[in-house]
Amino acid sequence: MRFFGIFYFYSIVLFAQQSQWQPITISDGLSQGMVFDLLQDHEGYVWMATKASLNRYDGSNFKQFTTHSTPTYAITSNQTTALFEDSKKRLWIGTQNGDLNLYDARTQRFYHCFLDNKKNKNQTAGQHIYCMAEDSKGNIWVGTIVGKIFKITLSEELKKGDFPNEEDFTAQIKVIPLKTS
């Protein structure tokens, strides 16, 4: 009988939690229905990488970030594909173009770095960023949809959690493409 009582209690709790779920759609303010990645940051915002823009949801309203959001320090592409929050609580956004954006919540600026370092356009052209991670040394690892992997070594200032001084901070990083078989 005791087992039945515990089972009954947990069933009610689970049912109550499930009934609170409300789907979020375009009619609620989401920019596009195709969501590539989803992340809840340390402040509780839910970020959604979509085909049309980067979306931030606060539980009631959406804010959309596009290439036209601001004249400078805007995100590099509306087609966002991957999200990652690093150990310094900074949001990294990967795009379908293979660009990385670093978001400063305080100033609402996007800083950009380019994996191809603008030298070899074929290195990441058309390869959207699929995933990101951070290692114990503060390096950012980036994977693309076609299986290429890049190790991003940050400058000492960026490793400390600072933000770049310039919109394009490609010169403040070292991009190391890893050979994959």
Side-chain angles (χ1 to χ4, degrees), residues 1 8 15 45 66 96-97 115 119 136 149 154 156 176:
M1 186 68 168
Y8 180 74
F15 178 77
Y45 290 112
T66 67
Q96 190 167 5
N97 300 348
L115 298 181
K119 292 177 186 171
S136 61
I149 300 169
L154 306 175
E156 288 305 314
I176 303 164

Side-chain angles (χ1 to χ4, degrees), residues 28 96 125 136 144 162 173 175 181:
D28 297 309
Q96 190 167 5
S136 61
T144 67
D162 294 341
I173 63 169
V175 179
S181 50

Side-chain angles (χ1 to χ4, degrees), residues 69-84:
S69 294
T70 59
T72 58
Y73 293 93
I75 196 164
T76 57
S77 173
N78 290 334
Q79 296 179 335
T80 57
T81 55
L83 303 168
F84 175 70

Side-chain angles (χ1 to χ4, degrees), residues 124-167:
T124 59
Q127 304 173 34
H128 76 252
I129 294 174
Y130 183 70
C131 58
M132 293 175 274
E134 181 180 16
D135 66 22
S136 61
K137 295 179 182 175
N139 299 308
I140 305 296
W141 293 80
V142 177
T144 67
I145 195 95
V146 295
K148 289 195 176 185
I149 300 169
F150 297 89
K151 177 182 174 184
I152 313 293
T153 302
L154 306 175
S155 67
E156 288 305 314
E157 295 82 23
L158 293 174
K159 280 185 181 180
K160 287 189 269 183
D162 294 341
F163 284 92
N165 297 327
E166 298 179 36
E167 188 173 1

